[in-house]
Structures are given as structure tokens and as C-alpha cells.
């Protein structure tokens, strides 16, 4: 009487398979990354204190903005303009860009623009490089201004 039993696996494959199965028991699962949170910093034409402050005539990035920029759990920091900006003309727009906003975007790539500047109609187009800069950073210009304001 002969006993022959066919083993469906070859012996040379069983040892590596057992090793892989055993190693997978001791390995921890992949750690999931915590999702990064987004933060919004609001400012208006009269109050830029959430993004910058002035000391002895010099402009500095606010401590709040720096803390968010250096926080590894923060993904994007949105700078959002609030209120009316209709009194801003070409020179004011250019000055705001160079004095307050450009240092923010140069400080960290986490800063992005969001929201609408409703400047005086036609003021932003007087200095095209400024209006293009605002749009490239994520802001919109006069998006929500009614058509009747342009017909005056």
C-alpha cells in the first residue's frame, strides 16, 4: 500500500510565505496622517492687526500669523479682506500690496488669498501688475460689484 499525497505548495515556497505571514503579525499598520487644517485671517481697510503690526514706523508680520505659519498642523492660511475697499485708488492698492501683503506671501508659502477686494471701479487696472498679482495670489477684484457701479 502506497500513500501518496499531493501537497499543493512546493516546499521552497512555503518557508518564505510563512516568514511573510509571521512578519505581518508583528508589523503595525500604516499610520494615517492627520489631515491639515486651514485657517482664516480676516482684515479690513482700517485694521490689519491680524496679519501685520507696526512698531516705530516699521511693519512686521503679526505673531498670530507667524504662529500659524510655523504650526505643522496648519495646511493653508487664507488672508480674507472684509468690508468696503472703495476708497482705495491705484496708489493705495499698490502701497497695500507692497507694505502689508507681499511680506506675508514671502514669509511662507502657506499664505493664500481668498475673498474679494471691491476697489474703486477701474482703480486696480491702472497698475496692471498689481491687479495681476492680487489675482495670482487667490484674491478677486470687484467680483461682487453690481454692473450699475461701472455705468456711473
Amino acid at each position: 500500500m502506497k500513500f501518496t499525497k499531493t501537497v499543493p505548495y512546493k516546499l521552497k515556497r512555503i518557508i518564505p510565505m510563512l516568514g511573510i505571514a509571521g512578519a505581518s503579525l508583528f508589523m503595525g499598520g500604516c499610520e494615517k496622517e492627520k489631515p491639515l487644517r486651514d485657517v482664516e485671517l480676516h482684515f479690513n481697510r482700517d485694521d490689519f492687526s491680524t496679519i501685520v503690526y507696526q512698531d516705530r514706523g516699521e511693519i512686521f508680520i503679526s505673531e498670530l500669523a507667524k504662529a500659524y505659519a510655523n504650526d505643522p498642523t496648519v495646511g493653508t492660511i487664507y488672508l480674507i479682506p472684509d468690508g468696503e475697499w472703495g476708497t482705495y485708488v491705484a496708489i493705495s492698492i499698490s502701497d497695500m500690496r507692497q507694505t502689508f501683503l507681499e511680506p506675508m506671501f514671502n514669509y511662507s508659502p502657506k499664505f493664500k488669498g481668498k475673498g474679494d477686494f471691491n476697489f474703486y471701479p477701474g482703480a486696480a487696472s491702472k497698475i496692471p501688475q498689481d491687479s495681476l498679482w492680487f489675482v495670482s495670489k487667490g484674491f478677486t477684484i470687484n467680483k461682487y460689484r453690481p454692473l450699475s457701479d461701472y455705468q456711473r
Side-chain angles (χ1 to χ4, degrees), residues 61 65-67 69-70 101-111:
I61 297 172
K66 283 183 182 179
N70 296 325
L101 296 177
E102 245 180 67
M104 301 292 296
F105 288 100
N106 292 338
Y107 183 77
S108 173
K110 289 184 177 183
F111 290 107

Side-chain angles (χ1 to χ4, degrees), residues 37 39 41 48-53 55 59-74 77 79 103-111:
R37 63 188 173 108
V39 176
L41 293 177
F48 287 86
S49 64
T50 57
I51 60 173
V52 295
Y53 69 94
D55 186 28
I59 304 292
F60 298 98
I61 297 172
S62 75
E63 294 303 317
L64 177 64
K66 283 183 182 179
Y68 283 141
N70 296 325
D71 186 346
T73 65
V74 173
I77 306 163
L79 303 178
M104 301 292 296
F105 288 100
N106 292 338
Y107 183 77
S108 173
K110 289 184 177 183
F111 290 107

Side-chain angles (χ1 to χ4, degrees), residues 31-92:
E31 290 186 31
K32 293 182 182 177
E33 291 184 20
K34 293 181 181 177
L36 297 178
R37 63 188 173 108
D38 293 340
V39 176
E40 295 181 349
L41 293 177
H42 293 261
F43 61 96
N44 62 49
R45 69 178 183 188
D46 299 321
D47 183 18
F48 287 86
S49 64
T50 57
I51 60 173
V52 295
Y53 69 94
Q54 188 172 355
D55 186 28
R56 298 182 186 143
E58 289 188 56
I59 304 292
F60 298 98
I61 297 172
S62 75
E63 294 303 317
L64 177 64
K66 283 183 182 179
Y68 283 141
N70 296 325
D71 186 346
T73 65
V74 173
T76 304
I77 306 163
Y78 290 108
L79 303 178
I80 302 176
D82 290 333
E84 291 293 319
W85 296 85
T87 59
Y88 273 54
V89 292
I91 191 71
S92 318

Side-chain angles (χ1 to χ4, degrees), residues 107-127:
Y107 183 77
S108 173
K110 289 184 177 183
F111 290 107
K112 304 270 187 272
K114 182 179 178 182
D116 185 56
F117 282 103
N118 56 350
F119 296 130
Y120 184 80
S125 63
K126 294 206 183 230
I127 305 176

Side-chain angles (χ1 to χ4, degrees), residues 128-143:
Q129 63 270 24
D130 284 339
S131 60
L132 292 173
W133 183 88
F134 279 99
V135 172
S136 74
K137 298 302 180 190
F139 297 107
T140 58
I141 298 177
N142 296 343
K143 180 178 181 181

